[in-house]
Amino acid sequence: SFTTQPPDTTAPAAPQVNPVPPLTNASSIPVSGTAEAGSTVIVTGGSGTASGTATAGGLFSVTVRLDRHGRILDERFGS
């Protein structure tokens, strides 16, 4: 005999993002925080899109390339 388990249809909670500087002269910055373990975190803005996967402990860090003014234009985090 065997049993089946229905798929998890509950969306994960939004990631918690550590503060990022509003302006910098760096060409990129790390964006880090916590999210559901194994979830994909996508950061859009700056000069492109960066993504990463949260660790088993729920930590993530992605490097975001900045626009020519040294800022992230749009922050959207999803998992």
Side-chain angles (χ1 to χ4, degrees), residues 12-52:
Q16 298 299 307
V17 180
N18 297 328
V20 295
L23 294 174
T24 179
N25 59 2
S27 62
S28 63
I29 59 168
V31 175
S32 62
T34 59
E36 181 177 310
S39 65
T40 299
V41 178
I42 301 169
V43 181
T44 61
S47 65
T49 300
S51 65

Side-chain angles (χ1 to χ4, degrees), residues 37-67:
S39 65
T40 299
V41 178
I42 301 169
V43 181
T44 61
S47 65
T49 300
S51 65
T53 303
T55 65
L59 302 176
F60 73 88
S61 180
V62 296
T63 299
V64 177
R65 293 185 48 82
L66 301 178
D67 72 359

